Amino acid sequence: MQALLDDYIQGAAFATELVNTSPTVWVVAGDQLSDPRALQSFLVANGVDTAVLDERDLEEVRALRERLRPIVDAPSPGELVDLTHELLSTVPHHVELVELVGNVWRWQVTTEGIVTVAQELAVFTGYALLSALRMLGFERFRACASPTCNGVFVDVSRGGRRRYCMPDLCGNRINVANHRQRRNALGDK
Ligand SMILES: [Zn+2]
């Protein structure tokens, strides 16, 4: 696998999506990666091409998900960096400078030997999270503002004002709760 290190926004957004498939985040819905087919659909929906996946891939991607959560949720930038370096050290790879077209150079990461889908994703997300920290800052790593959600996310938006891990879902759940509260306050049940 080869990935350009400049494309960190996609990788950081992917890390957010993956972390929030966990059954500990969206408790009612359960594990969003319930079987290898669900994993495949998730990857395709998030722009990652893969071959057919099996139970082992599923297990490894779930394990990666457990390692990414404390990175996105790290209490300090130092810890964020340490945990990410640890994750990256589990995958044989190297970084090199390649010339894309005349005089346009990019950092590229290349995995070595045969690596699993989970290892490819570890490299893809690992460097992206480090770049997000470098380019956007630690305050872009946040917990979801919804009181009923355990999600975390990296805000890679231009304005940097994102509040929810899954804006459509968590934002709406809050609206629904507020609405109910108001109705109850009026005695209209
Ligand atoms: Zn959320």
Side-chain angles (χ1 to χ4, degrees):
M1 182 210 73
Q2 293 173 334
L4 293 174
L5 294 184
D6 311 69
D7 292 343
Y8 71 93
I9 288 189
Q10 198 202 346
F14 178 84
T16 292
E17 295 295 326
L18 179 57
V19 164
N20 293 325
T21 61
S22 168
T24 61
V25 173
W26 194 8
V27 181
V28 185
D31 196 333
Q32 300 298 292
L33 303 180
S34 51
D35 57 43
R37 286 187 61 160
L39 171 59
Q40 191 115 30
S41 315
F42 170 78
L43 293 180
V44 170
N46 286 284
V48 179
D49 290 332
T50 61
V52 175
L53 304 170
D54 57 22
E55 286 290 338
R56 199 178 156 164
D57 292 316
L58 179 64
E59 229 170 85
E60 288 176 359
V61 172
R62 280 178 177 164
L64 171 65
R65 179 173 73 185
E66 296 313 305
R67 291 194 78 151
L68 287 175
R69 164 100 199 186
I71 292 175
V72 177
D73 204 18
S76 69
E79 193 153 329
L80 194 162
V81 170
D82 287 348
L83 289 172
T84 311
H85 286 167
E86 261 172 51
L87 173 65
L88 286 170
S89 73
T90 64
V91 186
H93 70 277
H94 60 271
V95 173
E96 53 196 0
L97 191 65
V98 291
E99 191 175 19
L100 284 189
V101 285
N103 259 338
V104 177
W105 298 83
R106 292 279 161 83
W107 288 111
Q108 174 179 285
V109 56
T110 306
T111 49
E112 292 158 12
I114 298 167
V115 293
T116 64
V117 171
Q119 285 179 312
E120 284 188 8
L121 293 176
V123 169
F124 173 54
T125 52
Y127 281 105
L129 292 170
L130 291 178
S131 294
L133 175 65
R134 185 174 81 89
M135 300 296 291
L136 302 174
F138 181 63
E139 66 90 23
R140 292 293 195 102
F141 292 74
R142 299 185 196 138
C144 182
S146 165
T148 57
C149 179
N150 305 315
V152 291
F153 64 96
V154 188
D155 183 358
V156 291
S157 70
R158 210 171 270 264
R161 292 198 186 90
R162 185 169 155 188
R163 299 181 60 216
Y164 304 107
C165 69
M166 296 172 277
D168 293 341
L169 273 172
C170 309
N172 283 337
R173 274 188 284 179
I174 263 207
N175 289 339
V176 168
N178 285 344
H179 182 67
R180 276 204 198 114
Q181 227 167 28
R182 269 199 303 270
R183 270 203 335 191
N184 290 344
L186 292 170
D188 172 23
K189 286 178 192 170

